[in-house]
């Protein structure tokens, strides 16, 4: 499928979980800037060292660091792809326009109180980045990834205080992108609340209707 999709939504709206599933089913390449940055931090690369402080504080990493990452990834892809966590502001959206023709933006809509609960109870796999929720999607064995057996951990930016800052940054910098894609006629708003499977079905229906 020649889909070039941007997945928008607040932190904790379920982008990562839904993105993985959608890419598996539709054969799209998943590019998650958050995952790429966390990997850089884990490997202590020069990018990781520069990005860590911003991430831990719930701020956006400076554009010049993220844009290089995306350019390199997107240019290497021949078929469809889905971007999770990029673009995060208007400057990044403009840059994206110079390297790809985005044909769909999916905006996941979730109430703020639900978001905080989701993030505080979120656990992620150190090895494969699979995401769990202690109640809605618990791992079969405590602390272990179902998929690869890797160790589960709580992201350093998943504390309640940092989540509030990430939500503030989201509203100020990222939310305006929904209007940008709406004006182009390629935005679909999807209710991101409820069971993971139900949300997934809504997204899949929206993608199939639009593409
Ligand atoms: P995420 O996994 O998408 O929630 O991203 C985690 C953190 O990585 C964010 O709070 C930012 O600090 C950083 N980050 C991820 N994507 C971007 C981006 N496109 N631009 C700037 N910072 C980003």
């Amino acid at each position: 499928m020649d889909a070039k999709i941007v997945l928008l939504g607040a932190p904790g709206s379920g982008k990562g979980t839904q993105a993985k599933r959608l890419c598996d089913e539709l054969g799209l390449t998943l590019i998650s800037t958050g995952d790429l940055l966390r990997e850089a931090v884990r490997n202590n690369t020069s990018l990781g060292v520069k990005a860590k402080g911003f991430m831990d504080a719930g701020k956006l990493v400076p554009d010049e660091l993220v844009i290089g990452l995306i350019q390199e990834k997107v240019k290497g892809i021949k078929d469809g792809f889905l971007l999770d966590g990029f673009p995060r502001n208007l400057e990044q959206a403009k840059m994206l326009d110079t390297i790809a023709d985005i044909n769909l933006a999916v905006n996941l809509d979730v109430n703020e109180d639900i978001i905080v609960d989701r993030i505080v109870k979120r656990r992620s796999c150190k090895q494969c980045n699979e995401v769990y929720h202690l109640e809605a999607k618990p791992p079969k064995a405590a602390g272990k990834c179902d998929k690869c057996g890797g160790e589960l951990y709580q992201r350093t930016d998943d504390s309640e205080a940092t989540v509030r800052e990430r939500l503030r940054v989201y509203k100020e910098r990222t939310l305006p992108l929904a209007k940008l894609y709406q004006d182009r006629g390629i935005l679909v708003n999807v209710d991101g609340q409820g069971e993971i499977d139900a949300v997934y079905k809504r997204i899949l229906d929206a993608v199939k209707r639009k593409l």
Side-chain angles (χ1 to χ4, degrees):
M1 185 185 267
D2 189 27
K4 296 186 173 63
I5 305 175
V6 161
L7 192 54
L8 298 172
S13 59
K15 296 191 300 296
T17 302
Q18 302 293 349
K20 283 193 189 82
R21 204 160 153 184
L22 203 64
C23 287
D24 282 349
E25 181 159 347
L26 301 180
L28 305 173
T29 301
L30 171 61
I31 305 171
S32 158
T33 41
D35 282 349
L36 291 170
L37 288 167
R38 279 184 288 279
E39 193 184 315
V41 170
R42 259 197 306 272
N43 294 336
N44 237 335
T45 66
S46 69
L47 168 66
V49 171
K50 288 181 200 144
K52 188 176 187 318
F54 296 98
M55 294 171 76
D56 285 346
K59 310 274 184 207
L60 292 183
V61 171
D63 288 344
E64 61 271 22
L65 299 181
V66 180
I67 280 172
L69 208 62
I70 284 287
Q71 269 172 335
E72 191 190 310
K73 292 277 172 191
V74 169
K75 284 189 177 155
I77 299 173
K78 297 217 167 49
D79 302 320
F81 62 79
L82 183 146
L83 294 173
D84 165 11
F86 188 95
R88 278 290 227 283
N89 58 32
L90 285 169
E91 293 72 26
Q92 293 183 6
K94 278 190 201 147
M95 173 270 157
L96 182 59
D97 285 338
T98 68
I99 57 166
D101 258 329
I102 298 301
N103 47 22
L104 182 65
V106 178
N107 184 41
L108 274 181
D109 214 6
V110 179
N111 168 296
E112 200 166 313
D113 292 336
I114 295 182
I115 282 179
V116 175
D117 173 83
R118 279 187 185 178
I119 294 193
V120 171
K121 292 179 187 153
R122 170 157 72 185
R123 298 294 181 272
S124 311
C125 176
K126 268 189 181 168
Q127 231 160 266
C128 74
N129 300 315
E130 184 68 11
V131 176
Y132 296 85
H133 181 279
L134 293 178
E135 287 150 17
K137 189 189 166 191
K140 291 195 181 94
K144 264 199 170 184
C145 178
D146 295 350
K147 284 202 167 162
C148 74
E151 185 191 338
L152 302 186
Y153 78 115
Q154 183 170 30
R155 282 168 44 176
T156 47
D157 60 347
D158 276 355
S159 67
E160 183 158 352
T162 311
V163 170
R164 300 271 174 207
E165 174 61 9
R166 287 162 66 201
L167 282 169
R168 193 193 64 74
V169 171
Y170 164 75
K171 279 186 240 169
E172 186 182 299
R173 313 288 306 279
T174 312
L175 195 56
L177 298 182
K179 179 161 184 341
L180 176 93
Y181 291 116
Q182 181 156 37
D183 290 347
R184 289 185 194 172
I186 59 168
L187 181 81
V188 278
N189 279 302
V190 173
D191 177 2
Q193 292 178 190
E195 302 270 316
I196 294 171
D197 286 351
V199 176
Y200 180 68
K201 189 169 179 314
R202 278 177 223 140
I203 298 175
L204 194 61
D205 286 348
V207 171
K208 286 186 173 163
R209 232 180 299 123
K210 277 277 187 175
L211 293 177

